Amino acid sequence: MELRQLRYFIKAKELLNFTEAARQLHISQSTLSQQIAQLEDELGVLLFDRIGKRVALTEAGQLFSGYALQSIHKAESGLQVLRDLNNMDTGEIRIGLTYGLRPILAPSLIRFMQTWPGIKIQVVLGTSAELLEKLAHLDLDFILTFHEAEKEKHLRYQMLFESPMTLVMAPNMPLAKKKSVSLEDAARLPLALPSQGYSTRAFISHVLSQKNLSPNITLEINDINMLLEVIRSGSWYSILVRTSVKQEDGVVAVPITGKGMQRKAMIISLNESYEKKSVTAFHRLLKEMSKSMG
């Protein structure tokens, strides 16, 4: 059993399409099929059901996938330990980012790259759910997101700062001059909110349900830039964490009062993974930069 075969299996399991998996792995479909077949022969079980041109994961394949991921993970961690014995002048850091934490990452990236210009950095923007999935598949070193839910044992959480939820509106709206608004008042307004899947939307839905409030949601958008553009029109309001809104966005963010209206910005990584020296250095920088946030 080879690590290469395990990587091929995990990609095929993720996509359930041998042609697309082979394309993303930069190999031929026949090579992929042969390697998975060899793995199945060695294990003595079928990992996939082949139904015409379609494939489906078998029960054995589902069970084996967790162990395959662990094996790949441990091998990559061991390789990184050896690399770090030499230096941290080269390598790559892969970061997952939710929209609301852009303000902390951008200046941190600039400062880090000035100190370590030989390290390549890849930033992937997405929802918390999407990024946690990529983290679980070892596609990211860590993610930056807001998180209040129960902590999972296989994940490591590092607190950065807290930031209040705000009612976001065009500058000419009557409530724009308020120092604060209540959640009850916000729920009565015509709201344009992030779509389901965003952690901000899940947070908003949770606090509204806790207070038995039925919000007037008239618009849902899965793109924050478009959402802010709609808000600037003056016909809708939104509820967003304060760090999601910058002065140059052309909108006003008024804090929402009440218990539990603070969001926690976190660094989340895999608990058992080896943390590269470069990643540790980046985390230190993020914590330093976060002192001015919230």
Side-chain angles (χ1 to χ4, degrees), residues 19 30 35 45 65 87 103 110 129 152 171 188 197 215 221 236 288 292:
T19 301
S30 61
Q35 290 296 314
V45 294
S65 63
N87 56 64
I110 294 168
E152 298 188 38
R188 299 187 192 100
I221 300 176
W236 290 272
E288 179 185 338
S292 62

Side-chain angles (χ1 to χ4, degrees), residues 51-112:
I51 310 166
K53 294 185 178 181
R54 294 173 53 246
V55 294
L57 202 65
T58 63
E59 183 179 358
Q62 184 63 51
L63 180 64
F64 181 68
S65 63
Y67 294 100
L69 268 175
Q70 289 179 27
S71 298
I72 296 169
H73 188 193
K74 289 184 182 298
E76 290 184 349
S77 292
L79 180 59
Q80 192 56 53
V81 171
L82 297 178
R83 286 174 178 161
D84 273 0
L85 285 175
N86 297 320
N87 56 64
M88 60 171 279
D89 294 334
T90 60
E92 182 180 18
I93 301 176
R94 301 160 300 170
I95 305 170
L97 177 71
T98 53
Y99 186 92
L101 287 171
R102 291 179 310 154
I104 188 175
L105 183 60
S108 299
L109 276 175
I110 294 168
R111 282 185 53 180
F112 187 87

